[in-house]
Amino acid sequence: DGAAAPNLISRALRDGFVREAALLPSNEADAAAALVAAAPEAAWQTSDAGADAKAHRVKNATRHRYSVGDGGEDAPDAEVQRLFERVLDAAAPRAWRLSRGYVPRLQLGRYRAGDFIGRHDDSSVVDIGGVPHSRRVAIVYYLTGEPPWETSMGGLFVDHPTGRRFAPSHNALVAFSVPRLHEVTRVATERPRYSVFGWLYFRRADIMPTGRGA
């Protein structure tokens, strides 16, 4: 492993946070943005703190409001599944992920005017195949298209350990080890903020200290 060039996921595990300004070739990124923007309204489901707390029987759910699309518990269509795989492969080779036991779970995200998510660290444990898994790495890939997304439009990713704020620039990816405090500021434009987001999970019994297994 020491001779291999670090990929984005291994760098996130090593450094805590990484940002890649241009993940895919521009023509691929543009096609992906068009695919997501064309998703019918029926493909989106609103997520907010009240509904999530009731559905998952948790207290003090992080304040938030946004929409999620194909992915998660529902099987995504073939084009969306190919997009997920392309993003994952660009972040870290499939063989590398499999050799370390990482299980990806990605979905589409849409923030519209007023949508946000408050400060949180992404910590969560879920059952995958009847086995508890914890989130190890989070990834967010932005498909905001053109013209460039301006900071005045809101929807900024705020990384609390460093205090840095990032506009959701088209074709950029951020990845970070979990737990890590962050938030998304309220969107202040009628233009939707699209993304692919999710996590790489690890069997709970196999989780190693941060920086190991990268």
Side-chain angles (χ1 to χ4, degrees):
D1 285 354
N7 58 59
L8 292 172
I9 301 303
S10 67
R11 287 168 53 198
L13 288 165
R14 181 191 67 197
D15 302 331
F17 180 91
V18 65
R19 180 178 183 273
E20 183 71 15
L23 182 72
L24 300 180
S26 59
N27 63 317
E28 289 189 47
D30 292 346
L35 170 68
V36 175
E41 190 59 34
W44 299 99
Q45 181 176 356
T46 300
S47 174
D48 62 53
D52 285 3
K54 183 177 181 179
H56 301 291
R57 299 180 181 179
V58 297
K59 296 181 179 179
N60 302 319
T62 302
R63 294 179 62 248
H64 69 279
R65 188 185 70 205
Y66 55 86
S67 299
V68 294
D70 293 325
E73 307 231 347
D74 299 319
D77 65 38
E79 287 185 289
V80 173
Q81 184 60 54
R82 284 194 291 271
L83 171 59
F84 290 169
E85 291 298 328
R86 184 70 178 96
V87 171
L88 287 167
D89 289 345
R94 178 178 175 84
W96 182 94
R97 301 191 317 265
L98 290 174
S99 70
R100 287 154 176 79
Y102 292 126
V103 180
R105 290 291 184 270
L106 299 184
Q107 54 196 328
L108 303 178
R110 182 184 69 181
Y111 284 67
R112 296 193 290 187
D115 288 354
F116 73 103
I117 184 166
R119 186 173 68 170
H120 64 292
D121 67 9
D122 270 10
S123 295
S124 182
V125 177
V126 301
D127 279 346
I128 300 177
V131 178
H133 284 66
S134 289
R135 292 173 178 172
R136 184 77 169 104
V137 180
I139 63 174
V140 187
Y141 173 56
Y142 299 111
L143 292 169
T144 47
E146 298 295 340
W149 192 279
E150 304 291 343
T151 57
S152 62
M153 298 164 70
L156 308 182
F157 180 96
V158 182
D159 179 50
H160 279 275
T162 63
R164 299 180 69 186
R165 300 159 70 91
F166 300 93
S169 301
H170 180 54
N171 199 24
L173 176 138
V174 297
F176 53 93
S177 59
V178 177
R180 188 178 181 92
L181 283 173
H182 62 286
E183 66 180 279
V184 175
T185 65
R186 288 185 186 274
V187 172
T189 176
E190 295 301 317
R191 177 175 160 187
R193 172 193 185 275
Y194 292 111
S195 66
V196 171
F197 76 99
W199 301 270
L200 296 183
Y201 287 84
F202 212 85
R203 285 180 60 125
R204 189 167 175 80
D206 296 336
I207 289 177
M208 294 170 286
T210 300
R212 298 286 302 279

